[in-house]
Amino acid sequence: MLIGRKEEQLALRNLLEEEEPQFCAVYGRRRVGKTYLIRETFNYQFAFHHTGYANAPMAKQLSGFRDSLQAASGKRIKVPRTWFEAFHLLGEVLEGMKGRKKVVFLDELSWMDTPKSNFVTALEHFWNSWATARREKDIVLIVCGSSTSWITRKIFRNRGGLHNRLTQRIHLAPFNLAECERYAEVAGLNMSRKEIAEAYMIMGGVPFYWSLLERQYSLAQNVDRLFFGKEGKLSNEFGDLYASLFENVEPYLAIVEALGEKKIGMTRLELEKSLGKKSSGTLTKRLEELEMSGFIRSYACLGKRERNALYQLIDPFTLFYFSFMKNGQKRDKHFWTSKLDSHTHSTWSGLAFERLCLWHVPQIKLALGIAGVSSGAYSWTYQPKNKDEEGAQIDLLIDRRDQVINLCEMKFANKEYLMTEKEEERLRHRNNVFIDVTKTRKAVHSTLVTTYGLKRNAYADVFQQVVTLDDLFRDKL
């Protein structure tokens, strides 16, 4: 059963309605459900479907392609010697088929592109000299792959025969909380919304990771079993994940490790200093690819120029790995259960909940009643030159065209959040510093985003609005 993905399914189905040949690339991180989406959308009915072989030489790739050609045509076909010959044979097979539209699905494209194989050049030739040159405008070519660096370099930034040939790009993002809740219901996991939120803070919205949860175990038991058990299915996922997405993976890992050290993120200059690298186009491309894959985000700080944007690590799975697995805790099969009531768990959950909120800014805006108001989401920091003066940091603020700025305070709690006198003083000081430094003339509203709401007491009035976990479970807008 396909959960969510309505917009992506509509985009795929619309390819069949276009008059011209269509060339669509579906991309996204490993395990996010790209292949499943395409297969389900077209009810597993393709004129031709082939998946490349992982870590196989050109001869094996061509032999497998021949097998797929035979399956599609019902005829015996010799193994092609080159990719040019392979795509020529594909054209002959498609010519003999009837139907208004012929959907060709090539999965794990990067695996077929072995060294010196001329695979991309042959694909270019197939598209330009056959698929788009025929009187019949009936070809819908869908390519897919998890290797972000490959698909970016060879397809999106192609400067040869595929330059500007794509007619559609579809980025498949992880599930949001509402989609995870529906998945949990279908799977019979019987999880509360707080448990779903905490699972999201650990795994993000990657469908495959959620499919590994077993209903007879608690969430904590599942985490121990999957991440910290001797044969845990996600105990080695971190290395496999990045290696599958990026060629020459070490520089990408260096970037995410550097960003993982600083909660609010780093400017480009700070990142270069941390990496010991000078500014280069290569670093720019790597940052773009990490952002395309959903591991990091770039965002502006209110009042600063775009070139001073911050890069921040926001992938829940990566943050969980850095917090609890990087130093070898996976050897303890009961590690997570033993940490549930610890200060370490409390500190992590606070930071992880902030990242969860950043993944659900549209839902926060909807809860505030400003979904239709033009607005921007930013962060803001103030570091005074005078050491005696106290600074301020705001991880999320929403700057609205209706002359209001929401300063968001994000708190993960097991019950209604209780404000204290000290906390109220800190928030009022933060607000005053923000107003004084930015010289804003807009109304400034303190906004609490928390699990179960705010307990009323003498200090609760510091907040104008409260957004709860239930609000974050609203579906896509």
Side-chain angles (χ1 to χ4, degrees):
M1 179 181 177
L2 189 62
I3 304 294
R5 311 305 197 196
K6 293 178 182 179
E7 294 177 8
E8 295 85 355
Q9 279 195 299
L10 179 62
L12 286 170
R13 291 192 181 112
N14 284 343
L15 298 174
L16 302 177
E17 305 303 320
E18 300 294 336
E19 295 182 1
E20 296 298 319
Q22 297 295 298
F23 186 2
C24 173
V26 180
Y27 66 102
R29 64 184 291 163
R30 164 183 159 103
R31 312 290 204 182
V32 81
K34 301 179 295 295
T35 300
Y36 186 66
L37 166 69
I38 296 166
R39 288 174 176 172
E40 285 286 314
T41 299
F42 293 103
N43 196 28
Y44 295 76
Q45 300 299 310
F46 303 102
F48 179 77
H49 175 205
H50 177 69
T51 302
Y53 294 101
N55 304 314
M58 179 179 173
K60 176 62 176 175
Q61 302 289 352
L62 288 169
S63 176
F65 198 84
R66 184 279 309 267
D67 294 343
S68 296
L69 287 170
Q70 289 187 156
S73 65
K75 300 177 181 179
R76 291 182 61 83
I77 297 174
K78 289 184 179 181
V79 177
R81 292 168 297 178
T82 68
W83 279 112
F84 288 96
E85 186 179 343
F87 280 110
H88 176 75
L89 291 170
L90 174 58
E92 290 184 345
V93 168
L94 295 172
E95 286 281 13
M97 294 180 175
K98 296 180 180 180
R100 190 177 70 87
K101 291 288 184 179
K102 301 183 178 82
V103 180
V104 177
F105 177 28
L106 301 180
D107 200 4
E108 296 299 355
L109 213 61
S110 63
W111 293 351
M112 303 179 221
D113 185 31
T114 55
K116 300 180 181 180
S117 66
N118 289 319
F119 171 78
V120 174
T121 305
L123 177 62
E124 293 171 353
H125 185 71
F126 168 75
W127 181 253
N128 293 322
S129 69
W130 187 83
T132 61
R134 300 164 65 247
R135 185 183 300 274
E136 299 85 359
K137 308 294 185 181
D138 57 356
I139 301 300
V140 175
L141 175 60
I142 302 172
V143 300
C144 182
S146 296
S147 179
T148 303
S149 58
W150 186 93
I151 204 166
T152 300
R153 181 163 45 88
K154 297 293 185 75
I155 303 295
F156 298 158
R157 297 192 185 124
N158 188 288
R159 291 296 177 261
L162 292 182
H163 181 61
N164 285 337
R165 294 299 191 270
L166 278 180
T167 57
Q168 179 72 273
R169 294 188 193 186
I170 298 176
H171 175 238
L172 197 60
F175 283 161
N176 61 24
L177 281 171
E179 290 163 334
C180 288
E181 182 175 47
R182 285 201 294 277
Y183 186 96
E185 289 172 353
V186 171
L189 296 176
N190 194 29
M191 299 172 72
S192 68
R193 284 189 162 178
K194 183 172 180 292
E195 287 178 310
I196 292 171
E198 185 159 353
Y200 198 99
M201 288 152 56
I202 296 168
M203 303 185 297
V206 179
F208 175 76
Y209 299 166
W210 283 78
S211 74
L212 299 176
L213 298 176
E214 294 188 9
R215 57 188 298 182
Q216 68 267 34
Y217 299 115
S218 68
L219 175 60
Q221 288 174 314
N222 269 306
V223 173
D224 275 332
R225 181 177 60 85
L226 294 174
F227 290 87
F228 302 103
K230 186 176 181 180
E231 303 296 330
K233 292 182 178 179
L234 295 178
S235 61
N236 296 311
E237 173 67 8
F238 179 82
D240 294 341
L241 170 63
Y242 281 87
S244 72
L245 287 166
F246 307 111
E247 301 169 3
N248 184 23
V249 69
E250 286 76 14
Y252 296 91
L253 291 175
I255 292 171
V256 296
E257 287 187 26
L259 294 178
E261 295 294 324
K262 196 168 181 181
K263 171 190 163 187
I264 197 169
M266 295 180 174
T267 65
R268 172 67 179 262
L269 191 61
E270 290 172 332
L271 185 56
E272 289 168 3
K273 185 177 180 180
S274 176
L275 296 173
K277 302 285 186 182
K278 293 183 179 180
S279 182
S280 69
T282 300
L283 178 58
T284 299
K285 291 176 182 178
R286 287 171 180 157
L287 290 169
E288 288 176 356
E289 290 167 12
L290 284 165
E291 188 163 9
M292 285 173 61
S293 299
F295 293 110
I296 69 174
R297 69 165 183 153
S298 61
Y299 66 102
C301 286
L302 190 71
K304 293 187 179 181
R305 295 179 180 179
E306 196 69 30
R307 62 186 176 88
N308 292 323
L310 288 171
Y311 294 92
Q312 183 183 44
L313 181 62
I314 60 168
D315 176 52
F317 178 84
T318 301
L319 288 160
F320 182 79
Y321 173 84
F322 284 153
S323 297
F324 298 108
M325 300 180 69
K326 184 180 176 183
N327 297 322
Q329 293 97 322
K330 64 181 181 181
R331 289 189 294 270
D332 180 358
K333 64 180 181 180
H334 300 301
F335 174 81
W336 190 244
T337 304
S338 68
K339 291 291 183 182
L340 288 182
D341 296 322
S342 68
H343 176 72
T344 302
H345 181 276
S346 177
T347 300
W348 163 81
S349 62
L351 296 174
F353 183 69
E354 290 178 5
R355 297 301 196 274
L356 180 148
C357 292
L358 295 178
W359 277 97
H360 293 80
V361 171
Q363 284 79 6
I364 293 174
K365 290 181 180 180
L366 182 63
L368 294 175
I370 59 170
V373 177
S374 178
S375 59
Y378 304 92
S379 75
W380 185 80
T381 57
Y382 173 62
Q383 296 176 335
K385 296 179 180 179
N386 184 351
K387 293 182 179 180
D388 295 330
E389 186 181 352
E390 187 176 349
Q393 176 176 318
I394 302 167
D395 293 312
L396 175 64
L397 65 86
I398 301 172
D399 186 16
R400 299 156 44 175
R401 285 289 295 274
D402 61 354
Q403 300 302 303
V404 174
I405 296 177
N406 293 91
L407 305 186
C408 297
E409 185 77 4
M410 297 166 279
K411 296 292 185 181
F412 190 69
N414 293 319
K415 54 186 178 181
E416 287 184 317
Y417 188 71
L418 179 65
M419 282 294 295
T420 63
E421 181 179 7
K422 183 178 181 180
E423 190 74 356
E424 185 211 26
E425 289 177 357
R426 182 186 69 82
L427 284 178
R428 292 195 185 280
H429 169 76
R430 183 196 68 175
N431 292 7
N432 290 334
V433 170
F434 175 80
I435 294 169
D436 290 343
V437 173
T438 63
K439 309 299 182 186
T440 184
R441 295 183 179 181
K442 294 185 177 183
V444 173
H445 290 183
S446 287
T447 302
L448 176 66
V449 185
T450 188
T451 42
Y452 295 119
L454 178 65
K455 188 174 182 63
R456 303 308 305 177
N457 64 8
Y459 311 111
D461 287 341
V462 69
F463 293 110
Q464 276 89 353
Q465 295 115 327
V466 178
V467 177
T468 67
L469 188 61
D470 286 341
D471 294 317
L472 300 184
F473 273 81
R474 299 194 187 192
D475 207 345
K476 289 182 179 179
L477 309 182

